Amino acid sequence: MKARQIKTNVYWVGAIDWDRRLFDALIPLPDGTSYNAYLVQGSQKVALIDTVDPSTTDVLMAYLENVPVIDYVIANHAEQDHAGSIPQVLEKYPNAKAVTTPKGRDLLVALLLIPEDRFITVSDGETLSLGDKTLEFIHAPWVHWPETMLTYLREDKILFPCDFFGSHLATTDLYVTNEGQVYEAAKRYFAEIMMPFRTSIEKHLEKLNSYKIDVIAPSHGPLYDKPSFILEAYRSWVFGPPKNIVVLPYISMHGSTQKMLEYFVGALADRGITVKQFNLAVTDIGKLAMALVDATTMVIGTPTVLVGPHPNVAYAAFLANALRPKLHFISIIGSYGWGGKAVEQLTGMIPNLKAEVLAPVLIKGFPRKEDFEALDNLASTIAKKHKESGSA
Ligand code: FEO
């Protein structure tokens, strides 16, 4: 594929990774991803904005074969999927400097062993002239590492935000063509990567209000030539109140918790609540993360294993705690054989979730009439709480 022009002398020179199925040995990538790098050729200087994952360095270097000079490599983010090819680019262009935040420099020295004298560090709002094009650097920590910054190309009104606004989506479409598909991929990305940093994102979104942006060119997934699409989506995920939704991650070993769960899902639905049920033995955790973006309540379903929750359930609780969704209420349902500490252990695993814990329904063995009544009561409590909190 040839370098793809975005505006005069601004090109996409990235790599599409169709087959990648896991990120950070953790996050599922059902639709692959891309590592977008951009070449900006000014009348006097040339900049490369971000690079590509080391597994695709050869793709980037092929684009650079006929580029005689690069003066600056802009490192918006030090994670390897964008910074991992900087050493090869600096080697090819011995006079080039890597441009990043002070924290970015420290991380790149530590992670990629790039010599300190190859860096120029920039402060928030600082500019770099390429002649007829000007790059402005906007410090934006915690999207999603502490060193992250955004780069704004003033004359062309292009924002290069790296991971921020990105989506894991392999596509040959340079710009968004299928908004529904990109919305899902970008929401998944937000849920898995950005959601823990909602407070920082709020500030960054407000800061961007003062910029006129024609194109958002992230470092994963297609570019946005209608920036309002992704800006509004982010505003709703960050600022919007949670909805009348209960997320129900669960495991059942011998059918008792399954029976409770089936009854409980019906009881919630009968009360007008949307339920998103995830069997943790088979679920894609990205889908669970996405559901948590909008949910008011999470109810965890677990059997008892070795006196505690099933390990898959503990994993989901740990993940929810790390992702810090907006949840207002939490509860637990499940079954045990001869006692246990599933409730104490699970509630102890979610200190980040500032949610009210509603009385759990833990039963011995297979559910009976009074257990179903207890589940009805919990469903009624949740419906009442949702009304009181304004989500229903
Ligand atoms: Fe796409 Fe934080 O790296």
Side-chain angles (χ1 to χ4, degrees), residues 23 35 77 79-82 143-145 162-163 168 189 193 219-220:
F23 202 89
Y35 318 108
H77 179 27
E79 194 165 7
Q80 272 90 336
D81 53 326
H82 310 294
V143 285
H144 59 119
W145 280 13
C162 201
D163 278 342
H168 283 310
Y189 194 87
I193 308 287
S219 291
H220 293 293

Side-chain angles (χ1 to χ4, degrees), residues 2-3 22 24 31 39 47 62 65 100 106-107 113 128 151 176 247 252 258 264 274 294 327 337 352 379:
K2 291 180 179 163
L22 203 58
D24 290 344
D31 301 308
L39 190 67
E65 225 160 62
T100 187
D106 294 349
L107 281 169
L113 309 180
L128 182 66
T151 298
V176 173
V247 171
S252 184
Q258 179 77 39
F264 187 55
T274 299
D294 303 314
L327 293 172
N352 291 344

Side-chain angles (χ1 to χ4, degrees), residues 155-196:
E155 290 75 8
D156 295 305
K157 301 181 179 61
I158 304 174
L159 181 72
F160 300 95
C162 201
D163 278 342
F164 199 24
F165 305 124
S167 62
H168 283 310
L169 188 59
T171 171
T172 53
D173 295 339
L174 183 61
Y175 293 101
V176 173
T177 51
N178 180 338
E179 286 196 346
Q181 184 192 30
V182 176
Y183 184 93
E184 284 293 296
K187 185 174 185 182
R188 176 188 278 266
Y189 194 87
F190 170 83
E192 293 165 337
I193 308 287
M194 298 293 170
M195 187 157 61

